[in-house]
Amino acid sequence: MADSEPQTDDGKSPWRFQPRWIPWILAIGFVIFTLGISYGLHHIFDSFFESREYAEYRPTFVGISFGAQTIFYFAVSLAILGTGYFFYRRTDNWFRGGAERRSGQGRERAKELSEGLRMRTLMRDPAAGLMHSLIYVGFIVLFIGTVILEINGLAPTDLKFLHGSVYLAYSLILEVAGLALIAGLAWAVWRRYISRVYRVRVKSKLDDILMLAILGWIAVSGFLVESFRIAWQGFPDYEAYSFVGFGIGKIWAWGGPGASPWVDNAHDVFWWLHFAGFVAFLVILPTTKMRHMITSPMNMYLSPRERPKGAMRPLPNLMEAEIETIGSNLVSEFTWKQIFDTDACTVCGRCTSVCPANNTGKPLDPREIVLKIGEVATQSYGLPEDGSAIDDPEERLHEALTPPVAMDRGIEVTTASVLERIRPEEVWSCVTCRACDEICPVDIEIVDKILDIRRYLSLMESDFPAELGNAYRSMENAGNPWGLGQHERAAWAEQLDFEIPVIGENTDGDHEYLWWVGCAGSFDDRNVKVTRAIAKLLHAAGVDFAILGPNEMCTGDPARRSGNEYVFQMLAMQNIETFEEAGVKKIITQCPHCFNTLANEYPQLGGNYEVVHHTELLESLIDEGRLTVRSDVEATVTYHDSCYLGRHNDIFAAPRRILGKIGGVDVVEMPRNGTNSFCCGAGGARMWMEERTGKKIQIERTEEAVRTGADTIATACPFCFIMLDDGVNETGNTDTHDVKDVAVILAEAIERPTARQSG
């Protein structure tokens, strides 16, 4: 009976398949192949099949005795079992985390895995990408070549294939692969220890020297063993294709034929040393960051998910569910995938190099967030999962694992709480721009981890910046973070010369679109001008729309991005109920944050709508001929990509195409644009927090925009508009530069002959 079935500590049947078994299964499989097939069949075929002499051919073990071969196979088997054991422990640690579905979507997973195996993502940084490609391809080709040699040695005489032209090509390819590996390793040493690339240098550890040395020794000793073998064989002509070994071998033969005994002994010695290098590699593979050779491609395979990339992890309905903990602090409160991420990290520092907070002197370092979570996860392996400390080391259930990267001396982890290593000010510095996630070559999801920690800090510890308290109260009591009365929501429409349909006041809900004006578009004086421009464009194009007016509440984005899931769900459920009453199917937004929340996060609570950003709709209206754009505009414009429109939702082209359709507008790009764009500093609820540390992010971005020579900075987000407009004022460029929403630029191009006069 099911209730009498034995259970493990986590409540699962001990006989049900567990992912932590996979390393053992693979290790045992390799051992069976090594001992049962490679060792056994090799000697069976040698004993029972007549050997045949081939031209251009090399046996598997040249000059290696039967006893030495036996030691080789058993030693390899033991090393593989050791590797399996160490990976078993790491896998067991990954699954301390909670459940997260990462199955299905086979086509997307195959594509991501292919991208990783082909080094496509690494090539975003050509220098680092080429360096890694030389190491990776060189090593893999040499490994495959060794396997091919073993398979050829196993085959009966009539089925052997490494002879003649095949062997010549095989030899040439392995020589090139060996040189590629050495070149890549030399380049890596140059980057890390001589040219000292900053983001690489600051995390250089003893592990890095060890890994480079072992890989280098495998490559160099392989050439040396080859050279001694060729010299011992008397330099057969066909071995000239092994040109490196052949050339080095000529050095050993300098003393003439009498050197042969010395060469034979040297071959045996270096063969064992080469083998020792391989065993050392198997040892460091699971115990150092060398493991990323396996975990990084696997992480890319696991990266596709059902949840849109702009959506946070869903939580149950907090109004109904009983939940002890909200957010993540303990290792067990993260998902298994989030813990696996930490072992997939290559420590390349690309995430840090593009982080707006880090670039402007804030305490956040995305790479450190990943590594610190990994440090706590590995060092707390065997400690109580409830976050309590132990007094006696004997109480520890398991020995700690090696961290993702060697930890600095003096750092100690005593509990399973990540807040033992991560400071709240690091977490609150994040602008959730996703630049780190986007640039990561192995698809590590950093923003999710930060937001889950924010949830814990906000709701479980009430540890958040004081300014957020005002925003929380305003959203909860007034329905918007500005704290203004809802009756003022539609006040912007009073200055228009046509009536705006307001559901529940002067119209019912029977309209094609609900126009979601948003809090900034309703209450911020600068963005009210954008709202009026959009209203005029929609009216001119004959779009059938209505607004909610005082019934429109904040979407809850600032609350959710700052960790207050309770306020978010309260606002979201009210809005969803309003939508249902009004029969809403399609929504226009002018705020990318509203767009992202309505399109990607409301479905988690049952609200499914067709959501379009105003730039997408305006572009289609121009294409359909419903808006006619003048061609006598004179302006030089640079467009700033909103993070929540761009990286979160992949809308990059629509705003640019609108600007491109306005004749006379010259569009110039900032150096950081598109997926590489730089945040304005308002995302992740930072709009409602003071920026007291380092340089203001908005100043950094404004200065970049000014340097383009453009006289107009175009935006498609009310938060970006506010931040960049403040940036223009603070940098003293008010007289020479304007900040305008794309809709305003378009409306001016339609309303009057010259949409903008310089200055």
Side-chain angles (χ1 to χ4, degrees):
M1 294 178 63
D3 57 359
S4 64
E5 185 179 350
Q7 302 288 308
T8 59
D9 292 339
D10 57 7
K12 297 179 181 178
S13 167
W15 309 116
R16 183 181 301 170
F17 177 77
Q18 303 292 328
R20 59 177 65 90
W21 296 348
I22 294 176
W24 273 127
I25 294 171
L26 292 175
I28 292 171
F30 279 121
V31 168
I32 291 173
F33 174 82
T34 301
L35 290 179
I37 299 178
S38 296
Y39 178 68
L41 292 183
H42 179 75
H43 293 290
I44 290 174
F45 288 143
D46 279 355
S47 301
F48 290 95
F49 290 90
E50 180 182 354
S51 61
R52 177 185 301 178
E53 294 295 330
Y54 290 102
E56 299 88 27
Y57 172 73
R58 172 167 73 89
T60 305
F61 292 98
V62 178
I64 305 299
S65 67
F66 175 79
Q69 293 178 41
T70 301
I71 294 173
F72 167 81
Y73 281 115
F74 277 90
V76 167
S77 298
L78 288 175
I80 290 174
L81 287 175
T83 302
Y85 169 70
F86 287 124
F87 267 120
Y88 162 79
R89 279 165 49 83
R90 298 205 84 86
T91 306
D92 191 41
N93 190 51
W94 300 333
F95 285 92
R96 292 167 63 195
E100 182 173 0
R101 187 173 184 271
R102 292 293 174 124
S103 58
Q105 299 174 282
R107 182 174 298 179
E108 291 83 355
R109 297 191 189 284
K111 179 182 176 183
E112 288 293 327
L113 180 61
S114 173
E115 293 277 306
L117 294 177
R118 290 184 295 138
M119 296 278 154
R120 289 287 301 276
T121 52
L122 279 172
M123 293 307 293
R124 295 169 188 162
D125 180 343
L130 182 56
M131 179 203 75
H132 278 88
S133 296
L134 288 171
I135 297 173
Y136 172 78
V137 174
F139 183 86
I140 293 297
V141 171
L142 289 174
F143 179 77
I144 293 173
T146 303
V147 173
I148 289 174
L149 181 64
E150 182 67 22
I151 293 173
N152 181 74
L154 290 175
T157 302
D158 291 339
L159 297 180
K160 293 187 185 297
F161 52 87
L162 275 184
H163 55 80
S165 58
V166 174
Y167 177 68
L168 299 181
Y170 167 87
S171 299
L172 181 62
I173 291 171
L174 291 194
E175 296 298 286
V176 174
L179 289 177
L181 175 57
I182 292 174
L185 292 170
W187 195 347
V189 170
W190 173 270
R191 278 173 55 86
R192 189 173 291 273
Y193 300 108
I194 300 176
S195 67
R196 297 171 67 80
V197 176
Y198 178 76
R199 61 182 171 86
V200 177
R201 170 174 57 84
V202 293
K203 296 303 291 186
S204 292
K205 305 288 184 181
L206 182 61
D207 287 3
D208 298 296
I209 300 175
L210 181 64
M211 291 185 294
L212 294 172
I214 289 176
L215 289 176
W217 175 246
I218 289 173
V220 171
S221 62
F223 279 131
L224 290 174
V225 171
E226 180 183 66
S227 71
F228 290 125
R229 173 181 59 80
I230 293 173
W232 180 72
Q233 290 177 314
F235 298 98
D237 292 340
Y238 60 84
E239 290 292 4
Y241 281 79
S242 299
F243 58 90
V244 177
F246 197 91
I248 298 174
K250 289 293 185 179
I251 300 174
W252 314 139
W254 189 264
S260 293
W262 174 83
V263 168
D264 186 19
N265 292 334
H267 173 265
D268 290 350
V269 171
F270 276 90
W271 186 87
W272 282 110
L273 291 174
H274 179 66
F275 170 60
F278 175 67
V279 172
F281 168 77
L282 290 180
V283 172
I284 69 169
L285 181 61
T287 56
T288 70
K289 77 171 186 180
M290 181 70 79
R291 72 182 72 88
H292 77 258
M293 291 183 66
I294 295 174
T295 54
S296 292
M298 279 302 301
N299 201 58
M300 297 187 71
Y301 172 80
L302 293 168
S303 63
R305 64 189 190 189
E306 296 176 352
R307 169 168 52 104
K309 66 178 182 177
M312 287 177 61
R313 284 207 299 135
L315 288 180
N317 186 335
L318 300 184
M319 316 297 173
E320 301 174 355
E322 294 184 6
I323 303 176
E324 292 184 5
T325 301
I326 300 172
S328 300
N329 168 38
L330 303 177
V331 172
S332 58
E333 292 164 354
F334 291 89
T335 70
W336 68 264
K337 173 60 171 59
Q338 290 177 324
I339 301 174
F340 182 81
D341 272 353
T342 66
D343 270 344
C345 180
T346 65
V347 202
C348 67
R350 297 191 194 191
C351 54
T352 302
S353 71
V354 299
C355 174
N358 187 272
N359 279 211
T360 54
K362 314 298 187 296
L364 173 64
D365 183 335
R367 174 171 60 182
E368 287 298 319
I369 294 292
V370 175
L371 296 181
K372 287 176 179 179
I373 294 174
E375 289 169 2
V376 174
T378 54
Q379 300 308 291
S380 67
Y381 184 58
L383 293 180
E385 296 291 1
D386 63 3
S388 59
I390 57 175
D391 298 323
D392 185 356
E394 295 296 325
E395 298 177 23
R396 190 176 197 123
L397 299 178
H398 310 291
E399 184 181 350
L401 301 172
T402 55
V405 180
M407 296 165 61
D408 293 332
R409 186 174 300 176
I411 294 177
E412 185 179 4
V413 173
T414 59
T415 70
S417 168
V418 300
L419 292 176
E420 188 174 339
R421 290 287 290 120
I422 297 174
R423 294 171 295 144
E425 52 264 36
E426 297 175 65
V427 174
W428 292 115
S429 295
C430 181
V431 291
T432 68
C433 66
R434 288 197 83 254
C436 54
D437 286 7
E438 198 75 26
I439 202 170
C440 179
V442 296
D443 292 344
I444 291 173
E445 297 161 4
I446 304 172
V447 174
D448 264 3
K449 299 174 182 60
I450 292 174
L451 291 175
D452 282 341
I453 297 173
R454 279 188 175 185
R455 279 170 162 166
Y456 179 85
L457 289 173
S458 180
L459 291 180
M460 304 306 297
E461 299 287 339
S462 296
D463 186 357
F464 49 79
E467 312 91 80
L468 277 179
N470 296 327
Y472 289 160
R473 285 188 292 273
S474 295
M475 284 185 280
E476 195 167 1
N477 298 325
N480 65 83
W482 265 267
L484 298 177
Q486 285 292 98
H487 65 281
E488 299 180 36
R489 277 269 181 189
W492 55 268
E494 296 173 0
Q495 297 185 24
L496 297 175
D497 56 6
F498 56 89
E499 186 177 54
I500 297 293
V502 180
I503 295 175
E505 291 188 3
N506 57 10
T507 185
D508 57 20
D510 189 18
H511 294 271
E512 181 180 6
Y513 290 102
L514 168 69
W515 175 18
W516 186 267
V517 179
C519 301
S522 299
F523 299 118
D524 178 70
D525 291 339
R526 285 171 285 192
N527 277 287
V528 161
K529 298 175 183 177
V530 179
T531 304
R532 293 193 186 107
I534 294 174
K536 293 174 183 177
L537 292 169
L538 296 179
H539 179 72
V543 176
D544 180 22
F545 72 91
I547 65 172
L548 287 174
N551 291 319
E552 179 185 296
M553 312 285 283
C554 177
T555 60
D557 166 80
R560 192 173 223 201
R561 289 302 176 286
S562 60
N564 196 329
E565 184 76 12
Y566 177 83
V567 172
F568 163 73
Q569 290 193 10
M570 180 193 74
L571 292 168
M573 289 176 181
Q574 290 182 53
N575 285 325
I576 290 172
E577 183 179 351
T578 301
F579 293 161
E580 290 178 355
E581 292 174 356
V584 173
K585 302 296 183 211
K586 297 181 180 181
I587 302 175
I588 306 167
T589 70
Q590 67 192 69
C591 175
H593 298 261
C594 296
F595 174 90
N596 181 71
T597 304
L598 294 169
N600 297 326
E601 298 189 322
Y602 273 33
Q604 296 175 356
L605 299 172
N608 295 281
Y609 316 101
E610 181 182 332
V611 187
V612 60
H613 187 256
H614 73 271
T615 57
E616 295 180 293
L617 180 61
L618 294 177
E619 183 199 6
S620 67
L621 294 176
I622 296 172
D623 291 342
E624 294 167 9
R626 296 167 68 178
L627 290 175
T628 303
V629 184
R630 296 179 182 274
S631 59
D632 50 359
V633 177
E634 295 181 5
T636 303
V637 179
T638 186
Y639 173 69
H640 163 77
D641 286 281
S642 158
C643 301
Y644 274 74
L645 192 62
R647 278 188 292 262
H648 281 73
N649 289 285
D650 295 321
I651 300 174
F652 299 102
R656 288 177 169 84
R657 283 198 288 253
I658 291 174
L659 296 172
K661 294 176 189 297
I662 303 174
V665 168
D666 181 22
V667 180
V668 295
E669 293 285 4
M670 287 181 255
R672 292 176 287 192
N673 64 79
T675 56
N676 299 316
S677 184
F678 196 79
C679 184
C680 73
R686 288 297 316 178
M687 178 74 182
W688 314 105
M689 295 180 248
E690 293 295 329
E691 194 170 354
R692 299 184 177 92
T693 304
K695 183 180 182 179
K696 288 185 177 180
I697 296 174
Q698 69 206 72
I699 299 299
E700 173 74 13
R701 186 56 165 172
T702 301
E703 290 174 348
E704 183 177 0
V706 169
R707 286 195 296 269
T708 64
D711 48 41
T712 301
I713 303 171
T715 67
C717 169
F719 289 174
C720 295
F721 185 3
I722 293 171
M723 301 300 279
L724 294 177
D725 193 55
D726 285 346
V728 166
N729 291 332
E730 291 182 37
T731 57
N733 289 289
T734 309
D735 295 335
T736 55
H737 292 77
D738 288 340
V739 180
K740 295 182 178 181
D741 189 280
V742 170
V744 172
I745 298 174
L746 176 61
E748 291 175 342
I750 289 175
E751 289 177 351
R752 59 176 185 265
T754 302
R756 181 192 184 284
Q757 299 295 331
S758 298

